[in-house]
Amino acid sequence: MNPCVLRDLAAHQLRHACRVLLDAGGRMQIAYAWHPNHKLIEVRYLVSVGAGRPFELWRCPVEADQALPSLAEETPLLGWYEREMADLHGLVFQNHPEPHPLVLHEGARPQRPPLDPAYPADAPLAYVEAPIALPHIRNPDVQLLPFGPVRADVLESAQFLFFYVGESILHYHPRLFFKHRGMEKRCEAKRPEQGVILAERVSGVGSVAHALAYCQALEAAADCVMPQRAAWLRVLLAELERLYNHLHYLGHLCHTTTLKVGEAQGKLLEEKAKQLNARATGSRLLRGLVVPGGLAREPRLDGLADALETLRVEFFAYRQLLEKTDSHRDRLLTTGLLSHTLAFDQGATGPVERASGLDRDLRRDHPYAAYAELPLTVAGATEGDAQARANVRMDEIEASLALLQRVLLMLPDGPLRVPCAPPPGSEGLGWAESPRGSLYYAVHVDADGRLARVKIKSPSFSNWRVFPYTVHDSNMMDYAINEASFGLTVAGCDR
Amino acid sequence: MPLWTLFGLKQGKASTAWPAEGGDDGQAGVLGMPRLHAERCPPECSDCAAVCPTRAIEALDQCIALDYGRCIHCQLCVEACPAGALESSGDWAYAVTKRDDLKYAPAPAVDETQAQAVRSGIRRVFGRSLHIRHVDAGSCNGCESELQALNNPFYNLHRLGIFFTPSPRFADLLLVTGPVTHAMKAPLLATYEQMPQPRWVMAAGTCAVSGGVAEDGYACGRGLEGVLPVDLWLPGCPPNPAAFIHALLVLLERQPQRVREGRYER
């Protein structure tokens, strides 16, 4: 798979290979399965061996009824990927520490695994009533609070179960995937250029990052080199996306600490950023520009540099005020502590991992678009609390604004788009550092040149797995602040 | 804290006066639904229908039929059209009370009396105010992003007497986003059941109107049709905040509906 180093492994070699990788300081990124033909399933592990070195892709064929060893004990972040493959492909992982359904919920009774190519198209899943797998609690003082899936305010649907005594949360269990739309399956049999419309709608506030990762996967499959101007403009779009997302994040964080004027100002700056997006691209969420082979049309850049400079000045004043407000900072400091080890083992990504001392950023470590040609400051912190996560995002806003001005200043002229037709039977991997962290698309093209399998790994799928570890043994008062400090989306995770 | 009070005062008023005269709707540059100039359609051309990802366009013999309730304004049809029959536009105020009003057919059956008769009757009950319970039934979070913007200082929805409420028991309107995934169908119906009568339902965003890009499949539904009785339809991917406000005001009979028989009044 372009542009990865391939390695074929048999099932019994996986554990050893995984241990060797971890000892050498590498990290598992994602795992997914696909069906090269009707008889065979192949499980793939994407492996990062270090910054600046190409990703490795491990391929492991699985015969019918063969079980694979679970690697979740060695590298816990794979736990969810294995459960997802169990739900959607019917694979069996031996000795899995959390052998429960994840994506399809308890009670799903599919006639076949939904991602099996033989699953009848458009047949809805059958569901029966079934209890949720929850810890068994004997002490009657411990209460269970189920919250959601329809929550207060305008929020995405998800259910949170709290086991608590008074103010203390003993155990927290998020039940996600109410919004599972089967987006990966919906991509199948589509023409490659149609897939980008779906990719943009996996997570609306990550439209650019999703479109980028998808298009880069196709371009890798087609060995297509994008024109320079398009590469630079893709950086522009990606950083505009980071800007409005992080501004929204700060406003929402103030909402949870009840800093009302701070909330209003954060959301007003977000609105200004979205209005800039609309003037430049025609879409407040920056949709419809990124296409395989480049960009669909030229954005309107007149006045953008001045408007961004005004925004920078306003943001600077906003940040200064936030940093002077003790009542706000008191609620963030030491809230939702995530240790370096936990962040690494459970697979934290983006600003969340960078706030816990992990210095990783796909834009710098595995550059795409024009990032290799731009000076990039990667923000970081080591405290691992809500304040650190907010600080990283505030630093990233400043870095993005500087990067945007640089792109506008140095933007090369030239064409915007080249033909990009991945040949039949080809496959490619694409990635992007979205505002919330690492995003991967693995794309397989069938013999007719249509999409055979699209694997989508969004950053929130990683961070939702990590988040509960910061909630156990915390208290109810801090929950909303902690959740906001992670900046999670549900749509990206659920797909 | 006094710092913030001072800061807030110094900032002045950020809210737009729109939809009052002279107010800025904040949507400069936004691309809306494509305009159709059917008279320019070349005979037997179906280029637009072939590229439409949501089957919003159906090729007929001499022209096309267009269902704006399925449109996600991706602009692919505009790029594909060889004759300029489809044109990019800033038309986004697409809220209608009858689903059929989103369908452009070559020869509309114009019925003025019926068009006038369609009224939600909501004003009689609630005056000008409205409380909304939102349910995300499987959206991409794009609609939520724009709904959350309604309470930012620029749009400041409260100035219009419209509020989001946490409990369905205080809600007049159920605002639904997303295509209604299988797992969200039961919670959605349970929320509706908890609402006191009279109650209204709004399908917000193309997913809720018709299923959108992920329609059907093993886990995804096809919107609210057949699930709940819908009183207000607003396609858009996502609808922008001004489109949401216009839609709510259409329901409250405080703004006229702009679209009839798939034709947008400018």
Side-chain angles (χ1 to χ4, degrees):
Chain A
M1 174 174 267
N2 248 346
C4 304
V5 177
L6 292 178
R7 200 172 149 197
D8 289 305
L9 291 172
H12 69 274
Q13 297 172 306
L14 283 171
R15 278 216 149 130
H16 179 69
C18 185
R19 283 196 205 110
V20 171
L21 170 83
L22 291 170
D23 288 343
R27 194 188 200 193
M28 283 285 183
Q29 297 296 306
I30 71 172
Y32 75 98
W34 80 297
H35 297 248
N37 56 54
H38 279 284
K39 289 199 190 102
L40 191 71
I41 303 182
E42 191 179 77
V43 175
R44 295 183 157 207
Y45 299 88
L46 183 71
V47 174
S48 159
V49 288
R53 294 171 59 193
F55 290 112
E56 275 186 15
L57 189 83
W58 300 355
R59 302 189 294 194
C60 175
V62 186
E63 310 274 334
D65 301 326
Q66 183 193 354
L68 280 176
S70 167
L71 301 181
E73 293 284 2
E74 275 80 15
T75 177
L77 67 90
L78 281 183
W80 274 25
Y81 295 94
E82 292 179 348
R83 285 166 69 185
E84 180 177 77
M85 285 188 271
D87 284 0
L88 300 180
H89 295 274
L91 288 170
V92 178
F93 290 89
Q94 283 165 334
N95 302 322
H96 197 291
E98 313 142 2
H100 310 297
L102 179 74
V103 177
L104 293 187
H105 284 185
E106 294 80 359
R109 298 284 181 275
Q111 26 184 308
R112 282 175 167 279
L115 287 189
D116 184 332
Y119 185 91
D122 286 343
L125 275 182
Y127 269 98
V128 296
E129 281 286 322
I132 312 166
L134 286 174
H136 182 60
I137 305 287
R138 275 184 298 269
N139 189 331
D141 293 337
V142 179
Q143 311 228 6
L144 171 63
L145 172 72
F147 183 46
V150 178
R151 298 183 280 154
D153 215 340
V154 179
L155 291 172
E156 290 190 89
S157 292
Q159 189 176 37
F160 304 139
L161 300 143
F162 298 89
F163 290 96
Y164 69 104
V165 179
E167 259 297 292
S168 309
I169 302 170
L170 298 183
H171 183 82
Y172 165 72
H173 177 76
R175 252 184 117 220
L176 303 162
F177 301 98
F178 281 90
K179 294 172 56 144
H180 180 60
R181 290 170 285 166
M183 289 301 271
E184 294 178 3
K185 182 88 172 177
R186 299 315 284 157
C187 290
E188 290 176 14
K190 294 258 189 312
R191 292 192 304 271
E193 71 276 10
Q194 289 175 321
V196 68
I197 300 283
L198 278 124
E200 283 180 336
R201 284 153 183 86
V202 172
S203 173
V205 292
S207 293
V208 175
H210 278 266
L212 267 183
Y214 173 77
C215 290
Q216 285 164 7
L218 282 186
E219 287 152 10
D223 261 330
C224 139
V225 180
M226 230 197 335
Q228 272 298 298
R229 186 173 175 83
W232 281 69
L233 285 171
R234 282 182 173 188
V235 171
L236 181 98
L237 296 175
E239 296 307 319
L240 284 174
E241 180 166 271
R242 199 175 319 280
L243 188 61
Y244 87 80
N245 270 284
H246 283 4
L247 289 169
H248 173 83
Y249 169 94
L250 293 173
H252 184 58
L253 196 61
C254 288
H255 170 72
T256 62
T257 64
T258 62
L259 186 63
K260 292 294 178 191
V261 188
E263 175 190 358
Q265 181 65 6
K267 293 188 174 169
L268 183 61
L269 293 180
E270 177 204 2
E271 176 62 26
K272 288 181 180 179
K274 275 183 169 176
Q275 292 191 10
L276 286 185
N277 295 347
R279 274 198 289 275
T281 68
S283 161
R284 288 163 56 89
L285 303 184
L286 303 161
R287 281 176 174 170
L289 262 73
V290 180
V291 288
L295 289 194
R297 57 179 183 271
E298 191 66 49
R300 276 189 56 184
L301 301 179
D302 53 295
L304 185 58
D306 290 344
L308 286 170
E309 176 56 19
T310 311
L311 202 58
R312 189 190 65 78
V313 173
E314 285 182 290
F315 172 71
F316 183 74
Y318 178 52
R319 179 175 190 169
Q320 275 197 319
L321 266 178
L322 286 178
E323 286 175 347
K324 273 189 224 160
T325 308
D326 291 342
S327 64
H328 179 66
R329 283 165 49 82
D330 273 349
R331 303 299 308 276
L332 302 180
L333 288 164
T334 70
T335 297
L337 273 176
L338 178 68
S339 72
H340 181 280
T341 313
L342 204 53
F344 183 85
D345 288 349
Q346 299 293 343
T349 184
V352 174
E353 69 172 333
R354 289 194 283 276
S356 289
L358 286 165
D359 183 23
R360 304 162 61 91
D361 189 318
L362 287 172
R363 294 175 294 169
R364 180 198 60 199
D365 302 340
H366 302 274
Y368 51 93
Y371 281 112
E373 295 163 60
L374 287 155
L376 185 73
T377 323
V378 175
T382 52
E383 296 85 353
D385 59 0
Q387 179 71 56
R389 291 189 278 276
N391 282 344
V392 166
R393 279 177 162 98
M394 290 195 281
D395 289 344
E396 288 189 5
I397 290 176
E398 287 175 8
S400 281
L401 285 162
L403 209 54
L404 282 163
Q405 293 293 5
R406 187 135 186 146
V407 170
L408 287 170
L409 205 65
M410 299 176 59
L411 188 62
D413 286 329
L416 269 187
R417 192 173 180 177
V418 291
C420 172
S426 60
E427 53 184 43
L429 179 81
W431 59 85
E433 184 74 25
S434 89
R436 290 174 177 76
S438 62
L439 175 62
Y440 295 96
Y441 270 70
V443 176
H444 297 255
V445 180
D446 70 11
D448 301 324
R450 289 179 175 256
L451 298 172
R453 171 88 173 97
V454 176
K455 167 64 197 168
I456 306 166
K457 199 293 283 185
S458 70
S460 290
F461 185 80
S462 307
N463 284 337
W464 267 115
R465 158 137 194 129
V466 183
F467 174 60
Y469 293 92
T470 66
V471 184
H472 307 317
D473 281 332
S474 69
N475 62 70
M476 286 287 188
M477 289 290 282
D478 285 344
Y479 175 77
I481 298 172
N482 188 17
E483 194 199 317
S485 80
F486 267 72
L488 302 156
T489 72
V490 182
C493 177
D494 290 6
R495 289 154 295 142
Chain B
M1 206 52 66
L3 279 177
W4 285 102
T5 313
L6 189 67
F7 175 80
L9 288 171
K10 260 170 53 186
Q11 288 284 302
K13 192 173 160 187
S15 301
T16 174
W18 184 86
E21 200 80 17
D24 172 17
D25 62 23
Q27 308 310 314
V30 166
L31 291 175
M33 308 287 186
R35 273 178 209 169
L36 175 59
H37 304 278
E39 70 284 0
R40 296 183 197 160
C41 277
E44 288 171 34
C45 171
S46 61
D47 292 359
C48 52
V51 296
C52 180
T54 51
R55 294 182 288 122
I57 305 175
E58 187 193 347
L60 305 174
D61 282 347
Q62 288 301 310
C63 56
I64 58 170
L66 206 170
D67 181 359
Y68 285 107
R70 304 187 64 86
C71 180
I72 55 167
H73 43 88
C74 63
Q75 315 295 325
L76 288 183
C77 56
V78 176
E79 288 160 29
C81 181
L86 285 151
E87 183 194 3
S88 283
S89 83
D91 303 345
W92 41 254
Y94 262 84
V96 297
T97 51
K98 270 197 314 174
R99 176 70 176 86
D100 282 348
D101 267 333
L102 294 171
K103 294 177 182 167
Y104 181 103
V110 182
D111 184 350
E112 285 296 325
T113 51
Q114 206 195 349
Q116 291 301 313
V118 180
R119 288 194 169 271
S120 64
I122 198 166
R123 188 158 185 176
R124 228 178 30 246
V125 185
F126 295 125
R128 296 159 60 82
S129 179
L130 190 70
H131 283 74
I132 307 168
R133 173 63 245 195
H134 158 256
V135 173
D136 160 16
S139 79
C140 74
N141 197 24
C143 286
E144 280 67 34
S145 178
E146 296 296 56
L147 282 169
Q148 285 161 0
L150 292 177
N151 279 336
N152 75 31
F154 183 81
Y155 301 105
N156 189 12
L157 191 65
H158 293 186
R159 79 195 146 98
L160 297 165
I162 304 173
F163 307 90
F164 284 95
T165 171
S167 170
R169 298 191 186 170
F170 309 134
D172 314 314
L173 173 72
L174 186 67
L175 189 158
V176 185
T177 57
V180 192
T181 57
H182 293 320
M184 272 314 292
K185 193 168 177 179
L188 172 67
L189 295 177
T191 310
Y192 179 71
E193 287 310 317
Q194 292 299 314
M195 290 172 67
Q197 293 184 352
R199 57 195 167 185
W200 281 262
V201 176
M202 172 177 177
T206 300
C207 287
V209 173
S210 63
V213 289
E215 186 186 11
D216 289 335
Y218 68 86
C220 192
R222 44 170 63 182
L224 282 183
E225 213 156 4
V227 177
L228 284 174
V230 179
D231 303 284
L232 185 67
W233 309 85
L234 174 64
C237 192
N240 63 55
F244 275 117
I245 292 177
H246 173 262
L248 295 169
L249 295 178
V250 165
L251 183 76
L252 292 167
E253 296 166 20
R254 289 161 60 180
Q255 281 279 311
Q257 179 175 317
R258 306 266 308 254
V259 181
R260 298 209 190 273
E261 311 271 356
R263 285 145 176 90
Y264 192 91
E265 292 157 22
R266 289 174 194 96

